[in-house]
Amino acid sequence: RPTSNRENHTSPVTCNEGESKEAAGAKNIENGAHLNGTQQYLPHIIIIGVRKGGTRALLEMLSLHSDIAAAESEIHFFDWENQYKRGLKWYLNQMPFSYPHQLTVEKTPAYFTSPGVPERIYQMNSTIKLLLILRDPIERVLSDYTQVFYNHKQKNKSYPPVEDLLLKHRELNTDYKAINRSLYYPYMENWLKYFTLENIHIVDGDCLIRDPLPEMQKVEKFLNLSPQIKASNFYFNKTKGFYCLRDGGRDRCLHESKGRAHPQVNSFLMGKLQDYFYEPNKRFFELVGRTFDWL
Ligand SMILES: Nc1ncnc2c1ncn2[C@@H]1O[C@H](COP(=O)(O)OS(=O)(=O)O)[C@@H](OP(=O)(O)O)[C@H]1O
């Protein structure tokens, strides 16, 4: 089996850099009801975030693999007290029915930034495989803003222009939640108290948008899955401006809420955002021993 070749230093980012990983170390957990040879399992893999990082695209693309069984909705088990109180049996019951050779995966993007979640997941399974998809923190802020903007619009409510929210007295308004969620390193530090980088694979969300196949091949390796995902599983949809999926002759793009245009940001605000994220990004690169195309 291939072993990890990750070294403890930063290296220039490319979208195609190869990376080998140990086996997924999947652990079967009893209790799921049986149905036609299928059973429910606690997840062997969790997509922990980040919100607006491309978590749905990652889950859908991973589901192209026949050895993957994915929970359709976001479970919010570890971050919502009322769900967590229901216990692991409840969590198990939210999982899809799958065959014994399949790996179960769920995605809840809010896990990454929820302080108590790493410990709770560790208590459930200390060798679980975690997938974290990150994108340029500034793009993530704008994507987050766009999401909230449309949530308001749907309810016929207005939402302030991006400049009004992100600037206060001509300085960056660091109280704005979306800015805080893009400060990846403190959250990552919390995860690394419980898991090593051997357990956490970071997917480059910007690369996944531009060229999904190489990113997905790295994910297959990390999970020790057979190489099944192929170039023919993707086609670029010019109208949407994103790659869509082709699965057994079935074509599908992500929901229209994925891939929306972001607001234009003036150069003053962009400069403020770039200054603000420069140091935190560097700290994040040091923490994870690799760089991303964000600076
Ligand atoms: N292939 C493909 N098609 C459409 N969208 C894609 C794709 N790959 C990645 N993305 C990006 O995914 C972003 C949404 O991220 P999430 O799914 O994590 O959002 S959420 O937190 O679950 O709401 C979404 O963010 P926005 O561009 O701001 O809409 C997309 O940029």
Side-chain angles (χ1 to χ4, degrees):
R1 289 233 168 98
T3 52
S4 168
N5 58 6
R6 188 195 292 288
E7 286 172 36
N8 208 8
H9 60 74
T10 57
S11 52
V13 64
T14 71
C15 285
N16 290 318
E17 187 185 310
E19 205 175 1
S20 317
K21 282 290 172 183
E22 277 295 335
K27 187 164 89 180
N28 289 353
I29 289 111
E30 64 299 324
N31 267 339
H34 290 261
L35 191 74
N36 302 332
T38 61
Q39 192 177 335
Q40 286 167 306
Y41 296 87
L42 285 175
H44 309 91
I45 306 156
I46 302 181
I47 298 174
I48 57 173
V50 65
R51 175 180 152 105
K52 305 317 291 177
T55 54
R56 176 57 60 185
L58 177 59
L59 187 80
E60 295 293 325
M61 289 174 188
L62 191 55
S63 300
L64 292 166
H65 200 291
S66 62
D67 295 349
I68 290 290
E72 266 174 42
S73 58
E74 294 177 8
I75 317 274
H76 285 280
F77 176 63
F78 296 102
D79 61 325
W80 287 358
E81 292 312 309
N82 61 329
Q83 314 269 61
Y84 191 66
K85 268 197 284 192
R86 293 172 158 166
L88 280 181
K89 187 86 193 289
W90 178 87
Y91 188 43
L92 176 64
N93 283 330
Q94 311 313 305
M95 295 301 149
F97 281 85
S98 64
Y99 292 100
H101 71 277
Q102 290 183 305
L103 298 176
T104 296
V105 55
E106 78 120 325
K107 79 118 176 161
T108 302
Y111 288 163
F112 181 60
T113 54
S114 304
V117 169
E119 185 176 7
R120 287 176 171 183
I121 294 183
Y122 182 84
Q123 280 165 0
M124 179 188 71
N125 180 357
S126 62
T127 62
I128 196 163
K129 294 283 170 180
L130 303 173
L131 294 173
L132 171 62
I133 178 163
L134 298 176
R135 69 201 280 200
D136 183 322
I138 298 176
E139 276 306 312
R140 205 218 64 80
V141 170
L142 298 177
S143 176
D144 205 319
Y145 166 86
T146 306
Q147 164 88 60
V148 181
F149 175 88
Y150 277 98
N151 288 349
H152 278 69
K153 202 173 167 195
Q154 260 181 359
K155 295 177 197 156
N156 284 321
K157 286 186 186 165
S158 64
Y159 196 61
V162 69
E163 278 86 4
D164 291 7
L165 290 173
L166 294 190
L167 290 172
K168 206 157 96 186
H169 309 304
R170 292 186 61 78
E171 285 306 325
L172 200 65
N173 175 13
T174 52
D175 293 334
Y176 187 62
K177 254 192 183 168
I179 291 189
N180 184 274
R181 284 193 202 107
S182 278
L183 282 179
Y184 301 145
Y185 85 86
Y187 298 115
M188 194 65 189
E189 271 178 342
N190 191 28
W191 285 89
L192 291 175
K193 284 185 200 153
Y194 299 92
F195 297 97
T196 68
L197 288 170
E198 294 299 307
N199 292 81
I200 309 174
H201 176 72
I202 303 172
V203 177
D204 186 324
D206 301 299
C207 288
L208 192 86
I209 290 174
R210 286 200 296 274
D211 189 10
L213 181 63
E215 277 311 302
M216 291 314 297
Q217 287 173 328
K218 284 179 233 171
V219 172
E220 283 182 327
K221 271 191 190 157
F222 170 69
L223 299 174
N224 213 35
L225 292 168
S226 59
Q228 265 187 25
I229 302 173
K230 304 232 154 25
S232 56
N233 287 125
F234 304 103
Y235 68 97
F236 190 76
N237 183 311
K238 274 194 195 151
T239 319
K240 188 162 174 72
F242 282 84
Y243 277 93
C244 297
L245 282 67
R246 181 164 286 150
D247 191 5
R250 204 176 122 243
D251 291 357
R252 64 198 158 96
C253 296
L254 264 62
H255 186 260
E256 61 181 19
S257 64
K258 309 287 178 180
R260 288 183 289 217
H262 296 170
Q264 286 284 329
V265 168
N266 65 38
S267 57
F268 178 77
L269 173 54
M270 186 51 88
K272 289 283 178 197
L273 285 163
Q274 283 164 345
D275 289 349
Y276 182 74
F277 283 114
Y278 184 80
E279 280 303 324
N281 285 349
K282 274 200 350 196
R283 286 187 69 169
F284 181 79
F285 299 162
E286 280 159 22
L287 201 59
V288 300
R290 69 185 264 207
T291 59
F292 294 80
D293 203 10
W294 302 338
L295 293 176

